[in-house]
Amino acid sequence: MKILIAGAAGFIGSHIATALQARGHEVVAAARSWQGARKRLPSLAWIGCDFTRDDVASWTARLRGVDAVINCVGVLQNGLNESSRAVHVDGLDALLRACEQVGVGRFVHISAVGAEAASGSAYAADKEAGEKLVLAAALDTVVLRPSLVIARNTYGSSSLIRALAGLPWVTPVVGGEQVFRPIMMADVVDAVDAAIQPGAARGVRWDLGGPERVSLAEIITAYRRWLGFGETRLVKVPRWMARPAFLFGDLLGWLGIKTAMRTNSLKQLDFDVEGDPGPWLDATGAQPQAFSDFLNGSPAGAQDRWFARLGFARPLARVLLGAFWLVTGILSLTIARSEALFILERGGFSQEMQQLVLWGGSIFDMMVGAAMLLKRHVRTAAWLMAAMTIAYLTAITISLPGLWAGALGPALKSVPLIGMALMIAATEDER
């Protein structure tokens, strides 16, 4: 079959796209950030799409000759360049109308367990409205709603869970009693593959879940053991205490920094993350793998342990480094201005050069610091930080070598910043 997969650059979409291609299907991979995705998955045929802008006419040309469409597009919450309503309702509606016009034979929609307005989140309300559009369309449609999806790689909630498992000594958890039915990515792929086959059920909405009911606390504990970190002390954080952190996550979302710690996540956790896979299992005879069997059959490697330990350490390092550069740039132009000019004068710079170096260096410091904090071109900013630190130290060596022997080591203390910047540059990759 010729299959178009919308959201093929995402966590679930990328697995479905590569698996279906390996099974002999012709896959058209559609994504908003398709250029970067094409570098990671060059074997797929990539095209651009944007649910926040594409109308029916935009989709009809892309759908010529397509036998089935699988929609994996979704956003957790409104944010910079992200609209839940546009993605889950308006953009989805345009795709459905185009499929009807072109005569696409099959439409599979990937939603999520708990996508119901009763949860109190705008995300769930929009997802539910989108599901209704799919089921009402004049197409052969299936809506699949997985619980927590588990794979060797991670994204979103699964990344946050691994990061929590990587914390030393004490693991904070909001609630911890919330029950999931973790489902393996391979079983999600199999469910999608079965849904596009001739004679498959149509007009159904199924929850996908594994055979084990596992609490959030148990999942974190299991991951710690799998990673080889041993036991930990789980500390339950009251929701009122955790709420500011989730609100801060909302703020980061409006700045374009994606994180799973959003208020919608908290609402969904408290509403339903388990679902009822019984109807799906009864109708298809599927036998999904258990979460514990997956972990037992997939030994953790060094990269898994690094990822878990860096889950919180790396963002903290990025924030601290960005704040350091931003604040030093501000200080050099304000309360430390006279001291900065005195140092430049000692270095033999003329008054004109002092002003040029002071303003140029300070503005540069503030720009790269702000870029790091706002998660904009982080890799480039990190490389520039490392290069400029080397340049600063070279200039100090030539003009003010005495600073290397300063009592508080002002020059020596800058050397580790090079390694910190290079580490951030090397590990910068959202997916």
Side-chain angles (χ1 to χ4, degrees):
M1 304 173 83
K2 184 176 182 179
I3 304 169
L4 185 144
I5 301 177
F11 177 50
I12 294 177
S14 60
H15 283 85
I16 293 175
T18 53
L20 293 186
Q21 184 183 60
R23 297 179 187 189
H25 297 290
E26 179 185 351
V27 172
V28 179
R32 182 166 62 175
S33 303
W34 64 273
Q35 296 93 338
R38 185 171 62 180
K39 294 178 181 178
R40 297 191 299 272
L41 298 170
S43 65
L44 295 174
W46 289 95
I47 62 171
C49 74
D50 189 341
F51 272 39
T52 63
R53 293 198 303 249
D54 293 346
D55 56 13
V56 175
S58 302
W59 280 108
T60 52
R62 302 168 184 158
L63 293 171
R64 300 296 179 191
V66 169
D67 301 302
V69 170
I70 301 168
N71 178 42
C72 305
V73 177
V75 297
L76 178 60
Q77 197 159 318
N78 291 338
L80 184 67
N81 298 323
E82 291 190 333
S83 166
S84 176
R85 180 73 186 183
V87 168
H88 298 136
V89 183
D90 300 334
L92 174 60
D93 184 58
L95 175 58
L96 289 167
R97 301 289 81 78
C99 288
E100 290 174 339
Q101 289 186 17
V102 175
V104 171
R106 198 73 169 167
F107 192 99
V108 179
H109 179 63
I110 305 299
S111 186
V113 160
E116 299 171 30
S119 70
S121 77
Y123 157 84
D126 291 336
K127 293 286 280 187
E128 184 179 37
E131 291 180 359
K132 291 179 179 179
L133 286 175
V134 172
L135 294 173
L139 300 165
D140 287 348
T141 59
V142 174
V143 175
L144 301 178
R145 313 195 325 161
S147 183
L148 179 67
V149 180
I150 302 295
R152 280 308 302 262
N153 62 337
T154 65
Y155 185 68
S157 298
S158 55
S159 292
L160 178 59
I161 288 173
R162 285 206 197 180
L164 288 169
L167 290 173
W169 307 307
V170 173
T171 303
V173 59
V174 180
E177 71 283 350
Q178 301 94 335
V179 174
F180 296 81
R181 282 188 179 269
I183 181 164
M184 306 309 110
M185 184 66 78
D187 293 315
V188 174
V189 170
D190 287 343
V192 171
D193 195 4
I196 62 175
Q197 298 303 322
R202 58 175 292 180
V204 296
R205 185 179 78 160
W206 286 328
D207 291 347
L208 305 184
E212 290 181 327
R213 300 180 72 250
V214 191
S215 71
L216 176 59
E218 290 170 336
I219 292 174
I220 294 173
T221 300
Y223 264 123
R224 279 192 62 86
R225 292 170 179 162
W226 179 70
L227 292 164
F229 295 160
E231 302 300 324
T232 186
R233 180 182 179 185
L234 291 173
V235 176
K236 292 190 176 182
V237 179
R239 283 162 177 76
W240 64 265
M241 187 180 295
R243 186 165 178 77
F246 286 85
L247 289 172
F248 182 65
D250 293 349
L251 174 61
L252 292 178
W254 284 108
L255 295 174
I257 303 173
K258 297 179 182 179
T259 170
M261 291 185 65
R262 311 279 283 275
T263 52
N264 276 345
S265 299
L266 193 57
K267 291 176 181 178
Q268 292 303 128
L269 271 175
D270 288 337
F271 179 69
D272 181 18
V273 286
E274 177 185 2
D276 178 14
W280 166 58
L281 296 173
D282 293 340
T284 64
Q287 295 181 327
Q289 185 181 26
F291 173 58
S292 57
D293 290 339
F294 173 80
L295 293 184
N296 292 334
S298 305
Q303 70 276 12
D304 298 302
R305 289 184 282 274
W306 290 350
F307 182 88
R309 289 183 174 128
L310 289 172
F312 288 104
R314 188 191 173 282
L316 178 61
R318 178 178 59 79
V319 169
L320 291 176
L321 188 61
F324 171 81
W325 281 77
L326 178 63
V327 171
T328 53
I330 294 173
L331 292 178
S332 295
L333 292 178
T334 54
I335 61 176
R337 177 183 175 87
S338 58
E339 183 179 353
L341 290 173
F342 175 70
I343 292 175
L344 291 173
E345 182 181 1
R346 284 177 54 198
F349 291 92
S350 65
Q351 289 189 351
E352 292 77 9
M353 283 299 297
Q354 290 174 29
Q355 294 296 327
L356 179 62
V357 171
L358 176 64
W359 279 93
S362 298
I363 291 174
F364 174 87
D365 290 357
M366 289 187 288
M367 289 179 61
V368 295
M372 187 71 76
L373 287 172
L374 296 175
K375 214 171 187 296
R376 296 287 185 272
H377 307 289
V378 171
R379 182 176 287 109
T380 300
W383 280 111
L384 289 173
M385 287 177 176
M388 188 55 72
T389 302
I390 293 173
Y392 285 156
L393 294 176
T394 301
I396 286 172
T397 302
I398 297 172
S399 304
L400 295 165
L403 288 179
W404 284 100
L408 298 178
L412 285 172
K413 287 180 178 178
S414 298
V415 175
L417 296 178
I418 300 172
M420 190 174 181
L422 293 177
M423 183 276 292
I424 291 174
T427 56
E428 174 59 21
D429 190 348
E430 185 179 325
R431 292 196 184 276

